[in-house]
């Protein structure tokens, strides 16, 4: 949903329920991402993704991707709370509100209960979004992100893990770790411990493939993307 200008943002927040769901940063070496407020979010900047819902039925009708300045206005008009920044780097990112590798949840919000595998899958999806030049909120990857966050306390379904594995393989043609390392280059040393830890997902996907072979299911099995 386009949100250029303060008055437009004020009208959107008045007409709809605007809820922040993700706060990320532009990776080193990335030049820009397109913003629904017009223009681009520049290198090393932060950006938010918002759900836009109807106030009467709480149905998600659209999304907003925008930089930090625009996001702060939307949060103020919508009377929402800032999210902690998903920041996998050791050094503080721009802004005051940093967080662990995993969580993009505000410290002022009720603490979310996470299943360990769901937590890793959430981290993997956030990494993919950071690597891509354009954030596509109308995509299977984003649908998986929303589902995993809605049922964060539950172990992800096989189909969700397979879907994300396939998306990563189709996008990059190699594992997520290799893609991150290729993109970051020498900046890889700046990552926090555990930033590239997907061991639970790797083991789970291996089990999925093994069970599929045992059951003689005729399915396309893509290479492991969580190595």
């Amino acid at each position: 949903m386009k949100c250029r200008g303060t008055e437009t943002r004020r009208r959107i927040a008045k007409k709809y329920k605007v809820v922040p769901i993700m706060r990320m940063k532009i990776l080193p070496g990335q030049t820009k991402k397109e913003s629904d407020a017009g223009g681009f979010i520049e290198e090393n900047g932060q950006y938010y993704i918002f759900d836009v819902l109807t106030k009467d039925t709480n149905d998600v009708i659209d999304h907003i991707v925008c930089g930090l300045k625009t996001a702060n206005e939307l949060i103020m008009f919508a009377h929402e709370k800032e999210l902690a920044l998903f920041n996998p780097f050791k050094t503080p990112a721009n802004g005051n509100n940093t967080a662990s590798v995993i969580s993009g949840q505000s410290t002022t919000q009720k603490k979310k209960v996470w299943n360990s595998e769901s937590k890793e899958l959430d981290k993997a999806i956030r990494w993919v979004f950071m690597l891509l030049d354009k954030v596509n909120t109308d995509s299977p990857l984003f649908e998986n992100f929303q589902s995993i966050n809605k049922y964060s306390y539950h172990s992800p379904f096989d189909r969700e893990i397979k879907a994300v594995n396939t998306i990563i393989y189709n996008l990059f043609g190699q594992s997520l770790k290799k893609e991150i390392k290729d993109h970051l280059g020498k900046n890889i040393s700046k990552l926090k411990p555990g930033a590239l830890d997907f061991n639970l997902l790797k083991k789970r996907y291996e089990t999925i493939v093994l069970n599929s072979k045992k059951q003689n299911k005729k399915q396309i099995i893509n290479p492991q993307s969580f190595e």
Side-chain angles (χ1 to χ4, degrees):
M1 179 178 284
K2 299 301 180 184
C3 60
R4 186 167 188 169
T6 296
E7 288 307 310
T8 300
R9 296 191 273 273
R10 193 193 305 272
R11 286 196 298 270
I12 290 172
K14 185 176 181 180
K15 184 176 182 180
Y16 302 105
K17 186 176 179 181
V18 182
V19 180
I21 59 172
M22 193 186 297
R23 181 181 176 184
M24 314 263 271
K25 72 186 295 289
I26 303 292
L27 291 173
Q30 244 175 358
T31 54
K32 57 190 178 181
K33 286 183 187 281
E34 189 175 347
S35 170
D36 285 325
F40 295 90
I41 306 155
E42 300 298 333
E43 184 175 4
N44 294 321
Q46 294 182 27
Y47 61 98
Y48 266 84
I49 300 177
F50 292 84
D51 274 344
V52 181
L53 308 92
T54 57
K55 285 191 172 181
D56 53 347
T57 61
N58 269 346
D59 292 328
V60 177
I61 61 166
D62 212 334
H63 301 91
I64 293 173
V65 180
C66 61
L68 192 59
K69 183 178 178 181
T70 298
N72 286 338
E73 276 198 342
L74 284 168
I75 288 168
M76 178 181 67
F77 293 145
H79 305 291
E80 289 287 337
K81 302 289 185 182
E82 290 185 0
L83 296 183
L85 174 66
F86 176 83
N87 179 24
F89 295 93
K90 297 174 187 175
T91 53
N94 293 341
N96 298 320
N97 198 5
T98 58
S100 69
V101 170
I102 303 300
S103 176
Q105 185 179 5
S106 170
T107 53
T108 60
Q109 294 176 331
K110 184 177 178 181
K111 188 172 178 62
K112 184 180 287 188
V113 177
W114 279 100
N115 168 273
S116 297
E117 290 179 337
S118 290
K119 201 172 186 180
E120 273 196 12
L121 195 56
D122 173 83
K123 178 173 64 172
I125 292 173
R126 289 174 188 268
W127 263 116
V128 175
F129 276 123
M130 284 199 295
L131 287 165
L132 297 176
D133 290 331
K134 181 177 175 60
V135 178
N136 184 3
T137 55
D138 184 23
S139 66
L141 184 65
F142 193 75
E143 289 175 7
N144 275 280
F145 167 79
Q146 289 184 304
S147 174
I148 291 159
N149 273 264
K150 184 176 181 179
Y151 303 106
S152 61
Y153 53 87
H154 191 282
S155 179
F157 293 109
D158 285 357
R159 66 174 181 272
E160 292 174 323
I161 293 176
K162 287 169 63 179
V164 174
N165 184 86
T166 298
I167 290 167
I168 292 170
Y169 180 76
N170 288 342
L171 283 171
F172 307 126
Q174 61 181 350
S175 73
L176 183 55
K177 282 185 183 181
K178 289 179 181 177
E179 183 66 24
I180 294 168
K181 289 176 181 178
D182 286 351
H183 180 92
L184 292 180
K186 63 182 180 180
N187 288 307
I188 197 76
S189 62
K190 298 178 181 179
L191 291 178
K192 292 177 182 177
L196 300 183
D197 186 356
F198 304 109
N199 290 333
L200 294 177
L201 293 179
K202 179 184 176 182
K203 291 177 182 177
R204 177 74 181 274
Y205 189 71
E206 287 172 352
T207 301
I208 292 170
V209 172
L210 183 62
N211 289 339
S212 180
K213 289 179 179 178
K214 284 181 178 179
Q215 296 171 21
N216 292 319
K217 290 184 177 180
K218 294 182 179 180
Q219 297 179 7
I220 297 175
I221 302 296
N222 287 304
Q224 171 77 257
S225 296
F226 301 116
E227 290 183 315

